Amino acid sequence: MSATERPEGALPVAEQPLPTSRYLGVDIGGTSIKWSVLADGVLEDTGSVPTPRIDHTAVLQAVAQIAANLPNPVAGIGVAVPGLVDPVRRSSVFIPNLPGDWSDLAVAEQLEAIAGTPVALLNDARAFAWAEHTSGAARDVASAVFLTLGTGVGGAIALNGQILVGALDSVGEMGHVPVDPRGELCACGGRGCLETFASGSAIVGRLSRTHAMAQSPTLVELTRQGTEPLTAKLIAEAARAGDPWAIDAFDRAADALGQAASMIGLLLQLDAVVIGGGLKRAADLYLPRVQAALDARISLTGPIEVRSAHYGTEAGSIGAATFARARLTTS
Ligand SMILES: [Zn+2]
């Protein structure tokens, strides 16, 4: 057989399909580790396991186990953590909500040693932005702000197609933008941060501290006379039923979001504000008011569209896998 001939059925090298590029993304939270597998950028599988409540080694071993249990090997693992990371040293700076000591922990290096696979590390709000900007609600725009409303408020910024990362990985920490200098003290030490208005815990906290619980028949009924804990989900239910205290709590959150988003919109020429996280399910209660706040500044900022996130709880893991694919792809 000459060099130009080949066995029947075999493709010439140039026509052979490339091997599938498969990346695992994990989103490590205080109660669960959510994971997703992207094959050539397409979601192939997703799931979650409980976060081991022992120490950081047990958490990293649990991540390696997720990879080991997959039917196909992965080219890399993207890891999203609920805290700031050092992008150069690929270490976590400080993570208060995970078991063990994550201060200055070489997460990527340690996980690479356990899993035998390259690892890329990022903050969970930045992972949310990677998912929404690459294939979600902001896939068609160049510049956007991304906010996750949950227990806290996380944020990230994409400018001209790039998700911004600083040396301290704190670009886009919108949860701690002050919206009321005389407001409540925030866990960060600041006063009147966006997080003290627009997080799920801020909304619940506000109604728990005021007299609303005693005066609102709707909230009394929804919490079965106060025997069940008040949650943001129940408050959203009460607001939709017309309860004035619940509506006020969401209006205050929306006003704070509108103010913070306008501030960022005035600084950066944004196309969109994408809002996700646990409170995404109550988007009908605050999105129109946030849009109205942005529209009020339209002559200075141009149009900025407020959008509900495309992804749900899987956003962080999809974003982590997307980030790993972008960072770890060699060819
Ligand atoms: Zn703060």
Side-chain angles (χ1 to χ4, degrees):
M1 196 184 297
S2 78
T4 55
E5 291 176 310
R6 54 182 188 268
E8 199 177 336
L11 291 169
V13 172
E15 291 172 24
Q16 282 175 6
L18 290 168
T20 305
S21 92
R22 193 174 267 107
Y23 288 88
L24 169 66
V26 295
D27 182 9
I28 304 177
T31 53
S32 67
I33 302 172
K34 300 186 179 68
W35 60 268
S36 294
V37 175
L38 295 187
D40 290 334
V42 177
L43 183 62
E44 186 177 71
D45 201 0
T46 186
S48 85
V49 298
T51 306
R53 303 297 307 169
I54 307 167
D55 58 13
H56 69 262
T57 306
V59 173
L60 296 182
Q61 280 168 344
V63 172
Q65 195 57 50
I66 294 169
N69 290 345
L70 295 172
N72 296 300
V74 291
I77 305 175
V79 177
V81 291
L84 297 184
V85 306
D86 181 330
V88 177
R89 298 184 58 228
R90 304 187 305 143
S91 58
S92 53
V93 177
F94 173 62
I95 307 177
N97 298 326
L98 292 182
D101 184 4
W102 292 73
S103 308
D104 215 11
L105 180 72
V107 175
E109 198 178 301
Q110 290 202 12
L111 182 56
E112 280 169 353
I114 300 171
T117 309
V119 171
L121 179 71
L122 81 168
N123 167 272
D124 56 2
R126 260 62 87 192
F128 166 74
W130 270 88
E132 293 295 335
H133 195 224
T134 306
S135 55
R139 64 185 177 278
D140 59 334
V141 302
S143 300
V145 158
F146 302 85
L147 288 169
T148 55
L149 310 184
T151 314
V153 173
I157 296 171
L159 209 55
N160 302 325
Q162 298 287 323
I163 292 164
L164 304 183
V165 182
L168 291 175
D169 180 41
S170 63
V171 178
E173 277 295 315
M174 283 200 28
H176 301 287
V177 167
V179 292
D180 179 2
R182 295 183 183 183
E184 290 169 28
L185 268 178
C186 177
C188 74
R191 201 171 268 285
C193 297
L194 175 61
E195 189 164 293
T196 66
F197 288 88
S199 62
S201 32
I203 290 170
V204 170
R206 175 158 183 82
L207 285 198
S208 304
R209 281 193 310 277
T210 62
H211 298 298
M213 281 307 292
Q215 295 177 48
S216 160
T218 314
L219 288 174
V220 169
E221 192 192 325
L222 286 171
T223 57
R224 298 180 195 277
Q225 279 69 44
T227 57
E228 289 190 6
L230 186 62
T231 60
K233 187 169 175 253
L234 288 183
I235 297 170
E237 232 175 279
R240 290 191 191 103
D243 180 86
W245 289 277
I247 291 172
D248 178 64
F250 274 100
D251 281 354
R252 286 171 61 90
D255 289 345
L257 282 166
Q259 193 181 335
S262 299
M263 218 184 298
I264 308 299
L266 287 163
L267 294 174
L268 309 169
Q269 197 171 345
L270 298 177
D271 303 305
V273 174
V274 177
I275 303 180
L279 283 184
K280 179 190 154 180
R281 289 186 292 270
D284 57 308
L285 297 170
Y286 55 81
L287 239 54
R289 210 170 163 99
V290 180
Q291 184 69 67
L294 285 168
D295 289 348
R297 311 308 306 269
I298 199 166
S299 59
L300 285 170
T301 61
I304 303 173
E305 196 179 331
V306 183
R307 298 176 179 179
S308 191
H310 172 73
Y311 293 111
T313 54
E314 72 284 15
S317 58
I318 289 175
T322 309
F323 177 74
R325 188 184 185 214
R327 284 290 174 278
L328 303 174
T329 301
T330 47
S331 56

